[in-house]
Amino acid sequence: MVRFDDLRLRDGTPIYLQIMEHLKAGIAAGAVQDGDELPSRRTLSALLGVNPNTIQKAFRLLEEEGLISSRTGSKSCVCLSDQQTQAMQQQLPSTQTLEYIEKMRAMGLTRSQTVALIETLWKEDAP
Amino acid sequence: MKWNRYLPVEANPTALRRGFVALTAFSLVCSLSFFNAYARALPGIEQIAASFPDVQMPPFSLLLGPSLYGFWVSALAMAPLAGYFWALHTRLSHSVYLMRRLPNRWELARRCLTVPVLAALFFLGLSLALWLLDFAIYWNVTPDRFLPSSLWEALWS
Amino acid sequence: MLQLNHVSKTYHLTTHALHQVSLSVAPGEIVGLLGENGAGKTTLLKCILGLLSYQGSITLDGVPIGRDNIARLSFATCEHSFFPTLTPQEHRVFYREHFPTWRDQRFEALMDFFRLPGNRPLRAMSVGQQNQVEVILALCQGADYILMDEPFAGNDVFNREDFYKVLLGILEPTETVILSTHLLTEINHFVSRAVLLWDGQIVGDVSTADLDEQGLTVLDYVKEKYHYQPDRVSSALSQLSGEEDDLCGNR
């Protein structure tokens, strides 16, 4: 069962996007495998305190993207091919990095300054 | 007790029962005033008749006096009781919002009005019964020579 | 479908508690009825329930609200519509007798979940617990449309959060909720639609999905509406009086 307990909703981004991101992040991290079951819409709605329509929208879009499949009357499940998993593993870090680059640019940092910043800070946080 | 269905949900049946008994007792005590008045009038009139043979018994309504008032006061007291039953739904709580939403449209009216209406009818009925009893005594026990010839006249004197 | 058509409510010939309110609520919606105190939220809910007289029409699936369909509506209010001297269990008996659609299992489950004492008179409970029982009774009546008027006045935030989540978990697709509240931030994700009342009129009606798309919260939406409102009303009124004058041929 795909876990959503640790999903903390934030303001500013549509909820359905956050739900989709959470699933994709799970896929990229390897926590979510092909065939894993998703909680029912109602369960997820109650867990997150979010209207079922929003959950429905997220599931629908995920289905359109080919990441999950729903059968009426039963729970949806993740359906991933290896290619999809790989793509996800690459896509999510790329998206996040692009966002980060935009933010740095907005603050007036150059590429080399940003890279230098990463170098310095990453070493400090290395496990 | 099945009375609960005819009383507001929050009414106290024990207190109401006691109140009802108290009002009935009060009314019956009041009604003794006729018997008291009659018991004094009858021997008196025999005495007076020795000197004044044309003397008549005092009018029925005079002897009756306030003896039925107890019943009437009790009957009238049922109006504020109905008001109190209504207040239980609107002041004590707002259960009126629930009562007025029930599919059974008569539930609220039944609980607020049944007991006051029945009790009022009871008191009025009892007053009627006693009025008839008192007159029966007046008409039948009093010697004929002291009474008007027509029953009707004696009743409404 | 709950349909309101040009519903107006006037007090003392001059106070317009509601003015020409028209609204449709479809099954399954969770509608937040928003507005400041005195905007007409309570009046609107009471008119729907037939607790107040009004002009206009209010129908449920085309049929006016009457004894035959009144059981399809339930009500939970901060004023409390329960019997204070009775226990929750005694309320269960009463409701079961009067509402054939009573949901007994749900009642037990909710009383259990919120750890409410079933055999204590309601007046002996805290305000928070009383609110909870009031809402539970409205949820278990078996109604299709559950109307709630500021039901959580006096409950702490954790309590309320729990309730929104439980509601989302137990509500069936045929059950509709209309929740009047001024707690704009916390109902943001819970409701599917926000209807804003101002001075007895509907000045806003939006689905939260649309708001979500635009990155707006319900609070943002309400602020926006309130900001623009005075101008709109006064210009509309001057337009209206201009029309009337033409018809009368005076001035």
Side-chain angles (χ1 to χ4, degrees):
Chain A
M1 176 82 80
V2 178
R3 314 264 333 247
F4 282 84
D5 315 26
D6 48 344
L7 171 55
R8 296 277 170 270
L9 298 172
R10 28 173 226 284
D11 287 335
T13 319
I15 306 291
Y16 73 91
L17 279 182
Q18 293 183 47
I19 294 172
M20 292 169 72
E21 265 175 29
H22 178 85
L23 184 69
K24 292 179 183 176
I27 296 171
V32 176
Q33 314 276 332
D34 176 45
D36 280 354
E37 252 190 359
L38 286 158
S40 69
R41 288 171 193 67
R42 194 191 281 196
T43 312
L44 194 51
S45 162
L47 178 67
L48 299 174
V50 165
N51 193 275
N53 292 351
T54 316
I55 311 292
Q56 179 63 28
K57 186 168 182 178
F59 277 32
R60 186 171 49 83
L61 291 172
L62 285 169
E63 202 173 334
E64 276 173 26
E65 287 188 27
L67 291 170
I68 66 171
S69 74
S70 312
R71 281 150 293 149
T72 37
S74 49
K75 292 185 184 159
S76 314
C77 65
V78 180
C79 51
L80 293 169
S81 61
D82 289 330
Q83 291 160 315
Q84 278 173 313
T85 315
Q86 271 180 1
M88 205 68 44
Q89 282 167 338
Q90 288 161 0
Q91 184 198 67
L92 208 55
S94 306
T95 325
Q96 296 282 336
T97 311
L98 282 169
E99 278 177 23
Y100 172 74
I101 292 170
E102 279 308 310
K103 283 185 189 160
M104 294 299 113
R105 276 212 182 110
M107 285 193 270
L109 273 76
T110 64
R111 175 174 163 166
S112 42
Q113 282 173 325
T114 314
V115 170
L117 191 62
I118 294 171
E119 292 283 352
T120 326
L121 290 175
W122 194 296
K123 278 188 188 139
E124 281 176 12
D125 288 341
Chain B
M1 268 253 301
K2 65 176 172 79
W3 275 114
N4 287 332
R5 293 179 50 78
Y6 295 94
L7 289 170
V9 174
E10 314 221 74
N12 182 349
T14 317
L16 289 170
R17 202 169 21 243
R18 288 201 190 127
F20 177 74
V21 167
L23 281 176
T24 310
F26 162 72
S27 304
L28 289 172
V29 163
C30 279
S31 71
L32 292 177
S33 110
F34 169 79
F35 300 103
N36 186 43
Y38 187 77
R40 282 192 281 157
L42 190 59
I45 209 161
E46 298 272 7
Q47 258 188 331
I48 298 170
S51 327
F52 299 94
D54 289 332
V55 75
Q56 292 278 282
M57 196 63 174
F60 176 60
S61 55
L62 188 68
L63 292 176
L64 201 59
S67 60
L68 297 183
Y69 288 3
F71 296 112
W72 296 350
V73 163
S74 298
L76 283 174
M78 292 305 101
L81 180 67
Y84 169 68
F85 283 175
W86 174 255
L88 282 177
H89 293 103
T90 54
R91 301 255 182 274
L92 177 62
S93 71
H94 289 99
S95 57
V96 64
Y97 294 147
L98 172 59
M99 296 303 287
R100 288 184 59 194
R101 291 192 300 108
L102 298 176
N104 180 358
R105 64 156 70 239
W106 303 117
E107 186 77 18
L108 183 58
R110 190 183 78 208
R111 288 179 183 263
C112 287
L113 295 176
T114 307
V115 164
V117 165
L118 286 182
L121 289 175
F122 169 78
F123 289 123
L124 290 175
L126 206 54
S127 85
L128 180 69
L130 250 95
W131 185 69
L132 293 172
L133 175 68
D134 291 347
F135 185 73
I137 293 171
Y138 179 81
W139 185 252
N140 291 311
V141 175
T142 316
D144 285 347
R145 65 182 189 283
F146 296 128
L147 293 171
S149 47
S150 136
L151 183 147
W152 200 249
E153 211 188 300
L155 186 59
W156 299 111
S157 56
Chain C
M1 172 79 79
L2 178 67
Q3 187 89 32
L4 282 76
N5 280 316
H6 303 295
V7 172
S8 296
K9 172 71 183 171
T10 330
Y11 289 106
H12 314 305
L13 295 173
T14 48
T15 319
H16 296 277
L18 292 174
H19 185 69
Q20 301 287 313
V21 170
S22 294
L23 186 66
S24 299
V25 181
E29 292 194 59
I30 301 181
V31 180
L33 187 60
L34 315 173
E36 48 189 14
N37 293 329
K41 310 192 293 289
T42 305
T43 310
L44 183 61
L45 292 177
K46 287 183 177 174
C47 286
I48 295 171
L49 291 159
L51 297 171
L52 291 175
S53 64
Y54 54 88
Q55 289 105 40
S57 86
I58 301 181
T59 60
L60 201 53
D61 296 338
V63 179
I65 314 264
R67 289 300 143 179
D68 296 328
N69 56 8
I70 187 75
R72 290 182 60 192
L73 301 170
S74 71
F75 189 42
T77 167
C78 56
E79 292 181 82
H80 294 161
S81 61
F82 52 66
F83 301 110
T85 53
L86 261 53
T87 67
Q89 287 298 328
E90 286 168 333
H91 278 87
R92 178 190 205 165
V93 172
F94 185 87
Y95 268 80
R96 202 160 39 195
E97 186 191 320
H98 288 98
F99 296 106
T101 47
W102 171 256
R103 292 174 180 265
D104 210 49
Q105 262 187 331
R106 184 188 275 187
F107 178 79
E108 250 191 69
L110 287 173
M111 289 292 290
D112 231 5
F113 179 79
F114 288 103
R115 293 193 277 260
L116 293 165
N119 291 307
R120 187 181 303 170
L122 275 155
R123 64 178 171 190
M125 293 189 198
S126 69
V127 172
Q129 288 178 317
Q130 289 177 342
N131 287 343
Q132 287 176 314
V133 174
E134 173 86 2
V135 172
I136 288 172
L137 289 172
L139 288 174
C140 297
Q141 181 184 306
D144 298 323
Y145 288 83
I146 300 155
L147 277 55
M148 299 202 269
D149 188 12
E150 314 248 14
F152 298 123
N155 287 68
D156 61 64
V157 66
F158 306 110
N159 219 266
R160 298 195 300 260
E161 292 279 326
D162 273 350
F163 233 99
Y164 301 139
K165 292 185 174 175
V166 163
L167 272 179
L168 289 169
I170 61 165
L171 285 175
E172 286 171 15
T174 50
E175 290 183 285
T176 318
V177 172
I178 302 179
L179 171 67
S180 142
T181 180
H182 53 265
L183 302 166
L184 298 177
T185 43
E186 60 187 51
I187 51 116
N188 195 50
H189 304 315
F190 171 67
V191 299
S192 61
R193 178 176 170 195
V195 172
L196 182 59
L197 274 183
W198 186 80
D199 205 25
Q201 297 177 67
I202 294 184
V203 298
D205 189 348
V206 69
S207 80
T208 47
D210 288 345
L211 286 180
D212 222 16
E213 262 325 317
Q214 299 165 45
L216 291 173
T217 63
V218 168
L219 181 59
D220 295 329
Y221 178 71
V222 169
K223 278 182 184 170
E224 209 182 277
K225 284 289 169 186
Y226 272 14
H227 176 71
Y228 291 128
Q229 202 43 49
D231 302 297
R232 268 195 48 190
V233 170
S234 56
S235 64
L237 283 176
S238 57
Q239 259 190 349
L240 277 168
S241 56
E243 247 178 36
E244 262 187 282
D245 289 330
D246 288 338
L247 287 170
C248 296
N250 295 324
R251 190 179 273 212

